[in-house]
Amino acid sequence: MSAGQREAFLSAFVVAGHQLWTVGGALRDELLGVPGRDEDFATDATPDQTEAIARGLRRSVQTVGRHFGTIGVRLDGRWSEVTTFRGDAYSDGTRWPDVTFGASIEEDLARRDFTMNALARNTATGRVLDLFGGAADIEARLIRAVGEPVRRFTEDPLRILRGIRFASEVGFAIEPETREAMRQTAGLLATLSQERVTAELDRLLQGRAVAAGLGALAETGALAVVLPELAPIVGCEQNRFHRFDVWGHTVATVAAIGPSGPEGRVRRWAAFLHDLGKPYVRHTKTNGEWGFFRHETVGADLAEGLLGRLKVAKAETRAVALLVRRHMDRPNLDRRSVRRFMARSEGMWPDLVALKRADNASHTYDDAAYHDALAALAARIAVEDAAALRGESPLSGDDLVRIFGRAPGPWIKPVKARLSALVLDGDLAPGDKEAAERVARRMLR
Ligand code: ATP
Ligand code: MG
């Protein structure tokens, strides 16, 4: 593949008498010094004209966004979105992108959400168009609405969450007037589709400045609207083991998990929800302190319900709920206990250890040495005791039916469960059918 596809594409727009501007995230990130993302363009060409130019150059084309004015074009191994200038066509409450085409790049930029996202650079002349002080705001690391913020958030409340999500991703502060407008309009978040809200929350949680993002989420009142289930943890006071209330502790726990790849995603959700159950079980212990007995069990059930409402995928929901349910597990540092711990984590023990470490980050006691030892022993067990860890009963249901000459029935399950537990505990060698049969005979006598 030649590396000149982008250049050829840009030239074709000049030849056809069209403007083509680099816009949005790519330009913002370039000014920020963050490298390498797909470049998006704005143009006065219609989607049909853009498609014709791309096909003329034998480029792959993606047309699912045509209705919104967007054509995807494959250039030098990456997808770029080319979007026809948009115009102002809001009646209140209509949501972006309700499309009318605009006359100019100026009109198009005025419809964008934040000043840092409203820059454009002409691909033919290199001229940068900065109508709203976006470059200065990027320099000052500020998120500021384009135009009148209350009006812009009322037009499209998703912008409130986008702004908070950007605060988490790029680590900028939200400019005070913009923040105040978020506070005033946060109630409108209830009108958005769950899918759009969840997508923003998911990205917010993965940000590298996630503590600031979550701070803004709570402080603007957006949290109470999009995640009312979490509202009770804000201000929920704890005991001498904790430096913060449950919300402050939750934010610190999420931030203590490194945003690393796909497993980072589930870990951060688990950290976010790990103490969800606390306000519901809080009681006074005999020593007069707050206790949270069984909050992990109650919390896991609540987390499952919450993620279901958020329409998070089933597999992820199950994984997060499991981590929440098990986050208080603290095995003794012997093989038997750690194997049980690992078996209960259903293969997710590295995630569980990561969550426990992060949880400990804002406790008043330091458990790092314990977690180091736990991780080391678990890693050793995973290699050396792999067969035992699978905890497979040496005898299958069919084996048992044959050996005892009984019809299949509910008697099989407890026998297999017992055999599995013995294998897991190292009291029965994996695959030892003879010893397993002796155990089974004793049980069924
Ligand atoms: P990222 O891709 O990292 O989310 P981005 O800035 O590219 O960042 P997109 O959602 O891809 O964000 O949107 C591209 C551009 O479209 C934004 O930079 C912004 O200018 C504009 N935009 C997107 N959504 C909205 C919205 N709801 N209201 C106004 N402008 C928007
Ligand atoms: Mg983008």
Side-chain angles (χ1 to χ4, degrees), residues 23-26 28-29 37 40 81 86 90 96 111-114 116-118 152 156 158-159 162 165-166 169 196 200 203:
V23 289
R28 176 192 73 227
D29 289 353
R37 64 144 69 214
D40 296 332
E81 294 192 336
R86 286 177 175 156
Y90 273 110
W96 173 286
R111 285 201 54 188
R112 291 177 183 263
D113 47 7
F114 299 104
M116 64 181 188
N117 290 341
R152 301 310 308 286
D156 179 4
L158 189 72
R159 291 172 187 153
R162 281 176 59 89
R165 182 258 288 179
F166 280 121
E169 286 185 333
R196 301 173 90 207
E200 292 299 332
R203 290 188 60 173

Side-chain angles (χ1 to χ4, degrees), residues 191-234:
T191 64
L192 297 173
S193 81
Q194 190 56 57
E195 285 81 355
R196 301 173 90 207
V197 170
T198 297
E200 292 299 332
L201 288 175
D202 193 43
R203 290 188 60 173
L204 193 173
L205 272 183
Q206 311 316 313
R208 56 191 172 79
V210 67
L214 289 175
L217 190 71
E219 201 265 329
T220 55
L223 178 75
V225 181
V226 298
L227 292 168
E229 298 91 336
L230 272 135
I233 75 176
V234 180

Side-chain angles (χ1 to χ4, degrees), residues 176-196:
E177 200 187 326
T178 297
R179 202 177 174 100
E180 177 53 35
M182 288 175 168
R183 227 175 267 134
Q184 283 178 38
T185 55
L188 298 173
L189 288 168
T191 64
L192 297 173
S193 81
Q194 190 56 57
E195 285 81 355
R196 301 173 90 207

Side-chain angles (χ1 to χ4, degrees), residues 249-250 252-258 263-275 295-296 300 319-329 341 345 348-363 367 371 374:
H249 166 66
T250 294
T253 305
V254 174
I257 298 227
E263 80 271 5
R265 189 159 164 256
V266 161
R267 288 179 187 183
R268 282 203 158 178
W269 272 104
F272 190 46
L273 303 180
H274 81 285
D275 275 349
H295 73 273
E296 65 277 19
V320 171
L322 181 114
L323 292 174
V324 172
R325 191 177 306 281
R326 304 257 63 108
H327 82 271
M328 296 298 284
D329 286 8
F341 166 82
S345 77
M348 296 184 67
W349 65 267
D351 304 298
L352 188 52
V353 174
L355 174 60
K356 291 176 64 57
R357 273 189 204 279
D359 189 13
N360 185 227
S362 64
H363 288 150
D367 231 2
H371 289 122
L374 174 59

Side-chain angles (χ1 to χ4, degrees), residues 393-396 399-405 411 415 419 422 428-429 431-445:
S393 164
L395 297 175
S396 67
D399 291 338
L400 291 166
V401 166
R402 194 165 29 73
I403 291 167
F404 292 98
W411 61 276
V415 177
L419 294 173
L422 289 171
L428 184 60
D432 186 344
K433 288 181 186 281
E434 279 174 35
E437 186 174 329
R438 283 197 296 276
V439 175
R441 285 197 188 284
R442 270 201 304 279
M443 277 184 81
L444 292 170
R445 204 158 43 215

